Amino acid sequence: MTKIPVTVLTGFLGSGKTTLVNHILTANHGHRIAVIENEFGDIPIDNALVLGGDEKIIEMSNGCCLCCTARTDLIEILQSLLRRRERFDRILIETSGMADPNPVAQTFFVDDEVSAAFALDAIVTLVDARHVGSHLEEGEHDGVGGQVSNQIAFADRIVLNKIDLVTEPEIEELRARLRSVNATADIIPSSYGDVDLDDLLGINAFDLNRTVAADPDWLEDESHHHDPTLESVSLELGCPLDRAAFEQWLTALLAERGDDLYRFKGILAFDRRTVLQGVHRMYELTDAGEWGAAPPVSKLVLIGRNLDRAELTDTVSRCHAGAAVTSSSTS
Ligand SMILES: Nc1nc2c(ncn2[C@@H]2O[C@H](COP(=O)(O)OP(=O)(O)OP(=O)(O)O)[C@@H](O)[C@H]2O)c(=O)[nH]1
């Protein structure tokens, strides 16, 4: 029986993975792709942001990142997909921005049932051209720098995304920098994940021999590269928000704490349903239509360092008098 090809899509927080997945799910390429999604933070925002079609299957595995919530969860999802294998012909796993791609990739070699049915086609790493430089400078090993560097080092293909936010000379500089971390992977420049899918899917680029030659303990290595100081704070507000007050709150927060805020996103209950997306000091609000019959609820996740949950809860709740704010955090 032909093995089902699997692409592992990785990349740091906000690098553009979901944007690329949406491009893949909506492009007219003739492939039927099952997507396995995972995100960091305990309110599943991406679930609502990924565009799906009837023939696609989306599985969620929430909580921490896929690399540490375990291989058993991933194996169970893969087994359930096997029972529906006539519905798709390849699999794409989007790891969380906090994930180390290696434990995910190892799954396709260490579990007999999985390795008999699936073949790892490639590890594809997205890189945020606007922020990767400062991320790489941060901390070694367990810091953000080590995490980003690890994702780049193990890539079979690198998508240098968000090139619309940098200049040509900066792109050349970034290429050289990526080359110094990974000498062999092809680097594909992109804006909003608009890449030729033939460059990403069915490329047969993962080579176990090469990986093990570079890292002899790769198959046994259970260490994860995580920055333990990054945490996630989730807020849920049960009343409509005032947009002007919210933007004022956010602008002030980013001016003061933008370096520490690696990622924030949410679904906001303004007059209309609105999606918030942000990375460091950049954010965008996108209209997502009427609320419909469901009562309006705002959900916001912030991922960063030194986040004062009580203060965030207190200040954002002032964006609407009487809003009931609840919050929780994970690290
Ligand atoms: N300017 C610009 N923005 C982009 C590009 N690609 C994605 N974005 C924006 O960057 C933000 C993050 O994009 P996502 O696709 O959600 O990133 P992600 O890697 O899935 O993020 P995580 O959920 O943190 O893992 C969104 O606001 C996107 O619209 C790009 O090429 N250029």
Side-chain angles (χ1 to χ4, degrees):
M1 194 163 59
T2 327
K3 292 189 184 185
I4 302 166
V6 178
T7 303
V8 174
L9 179 64
T10 186
F12 195 59
L13 296 166
S15 54
K17 298 177 296 297
T18 304
T19 305
L20 176 62
V21 167
N22 282 338
H23 172 63
I24 291 175
L25 289 179
T26 51
N28 189 12
H29 45 57
H31 299 297
R32 294 174 313 148
I33 304 169
V35 175
I36 300 174
E37 270 270 324
N38 181 248
E39 71 179 309
F40 185 72
D42 54 8
I43 297 181
I45 301 284
D46 278 0
N47 195 13
L49 303 181
V50 172
L51 311 170
D54 284 350
E55 77 285 24
K56 287 106 186 176
I57 304 159
I58 297 179
E59 300 275 350
M60 292 290 300
S61 170
N62 285 310
C64 185
C65 68
L66 194 54
C67 64
C68 48
T69 48
R71 189 161 282 153
T72 41
D73 284 3
L74 177 58
I75 291 172
E76 272 171 27
I77 290 170
L78 290 167
Q79 285 167 340
S80 81
L81 286 174
L82 263 188
R83 292 191 285 275
R84 296 177 269 167
R85 71 164 297 168
E86 70 290 346
R87 292 178 58 191
F88 60 91
D89 43 41
R90 62 182 62 248
I91 289 177
L92 180 73
I93 302 178
E94 179 191 342
T95 69
S96 90
M98 296 289 289
D100 178 345
N102 290 307
V104 179
Q106 286 159 1
T107 307
F108 297 92
F109 300 95
V110 299
D111 181 271
D112 290 343
E113 200 185 335
V114 168
S115 66
F118 301 92
L120 180 59
D121 188 60
I123 298 175
V124 174
T125 298
L126 258 97
V127 169
D128 175 338
R130 173 73 176 70
H131 295 107
V132 69
S134 59
H135 289 164
L136 280 171
E137 269 153 33
E138 265 192 53
E140 298 293 312
H141 196 62
D142 275 345
V144 165
Q147 214 169 311
V148 171
S149 173
N150 185 57
Q151 291 176 340
I152 295 167
F154 283 94
D156 299 307
R157 204 135 288 185
I158 297 169
V159 177
L160 180 56
N161 193 36
K162 305 197 185 181
I163 56 163
D164 53 299
L165 298 178
V166 292
T167 62
E168 272 299 326
E170 283 170 332
I171 293 173
E172 287 319 305
E173 242 174 71
L174 284 168
R175 276 183 182 276
R177 192 136 186 209
L178 297 174
R179 272 277 154 269
S180 70
V181 182
N182 183 326
T184 53
D186 281 349
I187 300 172
I188 305 168
S190 105
S191 193
Y192 289 95
D194 188 8
V195 293
D196 185 344
L197 297 184
D198 290 342
D199 286 335
L200 297 189
L201 303 177
I203 55 176
N204 201 17
F206 183 84
D207 182 341
L208 182 62
N209 292 334
R210 191 186 61 215
T211 303
V212 172
D215 177 358
D217 299 326
W218 186 79
L219 278 172
E220 292 85 40
D221 186 5
E222 293 190 350
S223 63
H224 303 151
H225 295 267
H226 277 253
D227 188 327
T229 65
L230 288 193
E231 60 185 333
S232 141
V233 171
S234 305
L235 309 174
E236 203 164 310
L237 295 94
C239 308
L241 287 174
D242 180 82
R243 179 172 176 143
F246 180 85
E247 284 209 71
Q248 201 176 17
W249 170 79
L250 186 60
T251 307
L253 179 69
L254 299 187
E256 196 188 332
R257 305 294 318 284
D259 289 343
D260 280 346
L261 258 178
Y262 288 81
R263 187 77 173 103
F264 49 97
K265 51 188 168 181
I267 313 241
L268 304 174
F270 297 146
D271 291 346
R272 290 167 63 83
R273 194 170 182 266
T274 304
V275 173
L276 168 71
Q277 287 276 11
V279 179
H280 291 297
R281 291 194 165 78
M282 308 185 73
Y283 78 91
E284 60 190 4
L285 291 166
T286 320
D287 180 60
E290 301 285 347
W291 273 100
V297 177
S298 295
K299 294 180 179 180
L300 179 62
V301 177
L302 303 110
I303 302 172
R305 200 170 276 142
N306 305 319
L307 300 178
D308 184 334
R309 186 157 52 93
E311 190 190 345
L312 289 166
T313 303
D314 178 48
T315 51
V316 76
S317 67
R318 288 185 216 149
C319 297
H320 187 278
V325 181
T326 56
S327 65
S328 57
S329 65
T330 57
S331 58

